Amino acid sequence: MKKIVLIYDFLSEIGGLERVIFFFANELSKKYEVELVFAHVDEDKKDEIIKTLELKREIKIISLNKGKNQTL
């Protein structure tokens, strides 16, 4: 099965673009393995966002920023 990765900057609120991303992820997961990759995921709000936007359980959410934010 082919994999599709959808990449976006932040997962921290239930906004319009997050709704679109989750909709596409759910639809694409019918034929493909789907992963969502974010530069930052707000761990305090993640479960609420997933529940509210009804993301399928088999879709993985990956955060690239495992540590503190840094300014270079």
Side-chain angles (χ1 to χ4, degrees):
M1 178 181 284
K2 291 184 180 183
K3 180 188 286 188
I4 293 180
V5 179
L6 300 174
I7 303 170
Y8 188 59
D9 54 0
F10 297 102
L11 180 61
S12 59
E13 64 182 359
I14 303 170
L17 195 50
E18 289 80 8
R19 291 178 191 278
V20 171
I21 291 169
F22 279 39
F23 171 78
F24 280 126
N26 284 330
E27 289 300 309
L28 290 167
S29 71
K30 295 174 183 176
K31 292 187 177 184
Y32 305 99
E33 180 183 346
V34 177
E35 288 184 2
L36 297 175
V37 177
F38 297 91
H40 173 76
V41 174
D42 185 334
E43 292 297 330
D44 295 334
K45 297 179 182 177
K46 178 181 171 182
D47 292 332
E48 176 189 352
I49 294 169
I50 291 171
K51 182 179 175 184
T52 302
L53 298 181
E54 300 176 351
L55 185 67
K56 293 181 181 178
R57 291 186 183 268
E58 65 269 11
I59 298 173
K60 295 178 189 175
I61 293 181
I62 299 168
S63 175
L64 298 177
N65 182 12
K66 303 282 186 208
K68 294 181 180 179
N69 291 333
Q70 297 180 1
T71 302
L72 301 176

